[in-house]
């Protein structure tokens, strides 16, 4: 009996480790954007989608959702991150995951406050220059 419990616990740990730290395993339709760019997104009601931006916290990137969109059009699920490598300082991608709801439009803005720290405000001129928004114009049809 003890052996089965140990084996079951080991299997549970292995399975839990397979997700790479992500709470969401289905990003749905992935739409890439970047600072200073507006991307148009067309979706069907009930469609899972993710807004993706290049992300590297080790150099100062700190992406956030400016404000949740109209919940009648799209509902926010979570922010996820995937690294491009295991080495310290590896870049990656931040994913802001949503579900589309009813027909309508919404503007979703993501803000990268570069090297801002806890107060989420650029501290100097370089931080202000490097910070910026990626904008997604979402239409659900």
């Amino acid at each position: 009996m003890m052996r089965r419990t140990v084996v079951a616990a080991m299997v549970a740990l292995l399975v839990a480790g397979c997700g790479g730290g992500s709470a969401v395993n289905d990003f749905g339709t992935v739409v890439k954007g970047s600072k200073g760019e507006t991307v148009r997104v067309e979706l069907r009601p009930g469609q899972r989608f993710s807004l993706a931006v290049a992300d590297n916290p080790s150099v100062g990137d700190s992406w956030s959702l400016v404000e949740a969109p109209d919940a009648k059009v799209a509902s926010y699920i979570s922010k996820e991150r995937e690294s491009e490598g295991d080495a310290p300082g590896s870049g990656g991608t931040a994913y802001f995951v949503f579900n589309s709801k009813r027909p309508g439009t919404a503007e979703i803005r993501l803000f990268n406050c570069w090297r801002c720290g806890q107060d989420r405000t650029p501290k100097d001129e370089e931080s202000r220059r490097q910070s910026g928004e990626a904008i997604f114009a979402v239409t659900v049809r």
Side-chain angles (χ1 to χ4, degrees):
M1 182 68 121
M2 178 68 157
R3 185 172 181 186
R4 280 190 213 157
T5 303
V6 170
V7 170
M10 290 176 68
V11 169
L13 285 172
L14 287 172
V15 171
C18 291
S22 176
V24 173
N25 62 6
D26 177 13
F27 292 152
T29 300
V30 176
V31 180
K32 294 185 179 192
S34 61
K35 281 187 279 189
E37 179 179 61
T38 299
V39 177
R40 302 206 180 286
V41 183
E42 290 201 15
L43 304 158
R44 299 176 319 277
Q47 188 174 352
R48 168 86 42 109
F49 68 101
S50 295
L51 307 178
V53 287
D55 181 46
N56 190 343
S58 70
V59 299
D61 286 331
S62 180
W63 286 97
S64 62
L65 177 64
V66 173
E67 74 179 68
D70 181 350
K72 293 176 186 168
V73 178
S75 62
Y76 176 64
I77 297 172
S78 68
K79 176 184 177 185
E80 308 295 331
R81 184 174 190 287
E82 286 189 345
S83 181
E84 292 175 354
D86 294 331
S90 293
T93 303
Y95 296 90
F96 292 80
V97 186
F98 298 83
N99 274 332
S100 63
K101 295 294 186 181
R102 295 186 212 145
T105 61
E107 181 178 88
I108 301 174
R109 296 174 16 235
L110 305 179
F111 181 63
N112 184 2
C113 198
W114 192 78
R115 295 189 178 174
C116 292
Q118 297 293 342
D119 61 2
R120 308 285 309 140
T121 303
K123 296 178 187 216
D124 56 32
E125 187 57 36
E126 183 177 8
S127 181
R128 280 188 284 283
R129 275 196 314 275
Q130 296 291 335
S131 296
E133 289 185 339
I135 301 171
F136 298 85
V138 176
T139 302
V140 178
R141 298 190 186 277

